[in-house]
Amino acid sequence: VRLVESGGGLVQAGRSLTLSCTASGIAFSIYDMAWYRQSPGKQRELVATITSGGNSKYAASVEGRFAILRDNTKKELYLQMNSLQPEDTAVYYCNALIVTVSQIQYSYWGQGTQVTVSS
């Protein structure tokens, strides 16, 4: 199983950036997917989730600015980030999650991509 994030970088406040996560080795379409982020000295936090059925949820801090999307054909997950602020600076991680009928949880992580927002 491999999740590879891309698209991070340095951007000015107020600008936009789109992250991508390419999955391999999993049946992507049946996994719930999510973006997390972690800033220095802080715990990893959930940014957005999208279920296998396409339902999405967002952290309050990014609601209305970020959009999580998935392309099951390409096995890709996206995070469109608009109106970026310095507090959005973090390493962003892609996560794939599935819970079997036997309640066994499988969770996979990417290596992360750095997003830095300058003021």
Side-chain angles (χ1 to χ4, degrees):
V1 178
R2 194 173 183 212
L3 300 176
V4 180
E5 301 96 335
S6 61
L10 174 63
V11 64
Q12 288 184 326
R15 305 297 292 267
S16 299
L17 205 60
T18 297
L19 304 182
S20 299
C21 171
T22 302
S24 59
I26 59 172
F28 181 81
S29 63
I30 66 173
Y31 278 73
D32 293 338
M33 301 296 298
W35 287 99
Y36 287 76
R37 66 186 181 187
Q38 187 168 19
S39 304
K42 295 186 178 180
Q43 289 188 337
R44 190 172 296 189
E45 64 171 346
L46 180 63
V47 175
T49 62
I50 185 165
T51 66
S52 58
N55 295 314
S56 59
K57 290 185 179 180
Y58 300 90
S61 59
V62 306
E63 181 85 51
R65 298 189 298 124
F66 290 12
I68 186 170
L69 304 166
R70 64 189 299 162
D71 185 329
N72 291 336
T73 301
K74 294 182 178 179
K75 293 189 175 182
E76 290 189 344
L77 177 73
Y78 307 100
L79 184 67
Q80 294 179 345
M81 304 184 293
N82 300 314
S83 301
L84 283 162
Q85 300 301 317
E87 51 265 34
D88 295 317
T89 295
V91 177
Y92 283 73
Y93 297 91
C94 172
N95 174 260
L97 176 70
I98 191 169
V99 181
T100 70
V101 292
S102 305
Q103 298 303 302
I104 298 173
Q105 179 175 290
Y106 295 91
S107 179
Y108 304 103
W109 293 90
Q111 83 291 346
T113 186
Q114 176 71 48
V115 173
T116 303
V117 184
S118 63
S119 57

